[in-house]
Amino acid sequence: LWPEEEKLFMNVMCLNEDALAFEETDRGTFKESYFSPYIIPTVPHVPWAYKNIPIPPGIKDKVIELLKEKIKAGVYE
């Protein structure tokens, strides 16, 4: 980027810093008065019976912590 483009980028970033979420807990959702909740339509079916991929024991605690954070932040239901 040219120096002037870098300055413009920094200015835009500073003006919109409250709109950026660096942590899941800072992440928000759109107001329902503007956007209705999105519902994914499905048809009745028999789920596949594939076995889940096992979580390696070495990262199991990290995966569980990550899932708890995502649920707490409202990313997962």
Side-chain angles (χ1 to χ4, degrees), residues 20-51:
L20 302 174
F22 295 99
E23 309 250 341
E24 290 292 342
T25 54
D26 295 335
R27 195 185 77 121
T29 58
F30 294 116
K31 290 183 180 181
E32 289 188 18
S33 58
Y34 293 112
F35 301 97
S36 60
Y38 186 76
I39 299 172
I40 301 172
T42 59
V43 294
H45 66 284
V46 176
W48 294 341
Y50 290 130
K51 188 175 181 181

Side-chain angles (χ1 to χ4, degrees), residues 46-62:
V46 176
W48 294 341
Y50 290 130
K51 188 175 181 181
N52 290 334
I53 299 171
I55 299 171
I59 63 167
K60 183 178 179 182
D61 292 336
K62 290 181 183 178

Side-chain angles (χ1 to χ4, degrees), residues 6-25:
E6 289 179 6
K7 289 179 191 175
L8 175 63
F9 176 76
M10 289 303 295
N11 186 37
V12 170
M13 291 298 288
C14 289
L15 291 174
N16 296 292
E17 66 182 333
D18 291 338
L20 302 174
F22 295 99
E23 309 250 341
E24 290 292 342
T25 54

